[in-house]
Amino acid sequence: MDVSHKSAEIVEVQKNVFQKEVDQKRAVFAKYKDNLGNNRYRFIGIFKCSGLAAVDSTSIRYQRIEKQISIL
């Protein structure tokens, strides 16, 4: 997330919000349209927020921890 155009105060507030996301898992899907024009979703994986990027503190870094999940 690029917030370089925002004020320093807004960036600080967002950093605090981002820190709460560390170690949370998220399922990520890619949306695409098939040949018939229907919306489809492709499972990409389970990602975990690993914190702010080391070089740029306005970006969040995510790491894929699983490529597949079991369905009940």
Side-chain angles (χ1 to χ4, degrees):
M1 172 182 274
D2 180 22
V3 292
S4 58
H5 63 282
K6 297 185 180 179
S7 72
E9 182 179 312
I10 294 172
V11 171
E12 275 303 312
V13 170
Q14 288 182 336
K15 279 186 195 178
N16 294 334
V17 171
F18 297 156
Q19 289 300 326
K20 292 177 184 177
E21 288 192 23
V22 174
D23 294 329
Q24 288 186 356
K25 295 179 183 178
R26 293 177 180 255
V28 177
F29 295 85
K31 181 180 176 182
Y32 67 97
K33 288 195 176 198
D34 63 10
N35 294 337
L36 299 174
N38 297 320
N39 288 328
R40 302 287 182 184
Y41 296 91
R42 187 174 140 242
F43 179 73
I44 301 298
I46 301 292
F47 287 78
K48 179 178 83 169
C49 177
S50 58
L52 297 173
V55 177
D56 182 11
S57 64
T58 62
S59 301
I60 301 176
R61 174 171 283 168
Y62 288 89
Q63 183 176 29
R64 183 164 57 181
I65 56 174
E66 295 178 35
K67 290 185 178 181
Q68 52 184 305
I69 57 174
S70 59
I71 299 175
L72 300 177

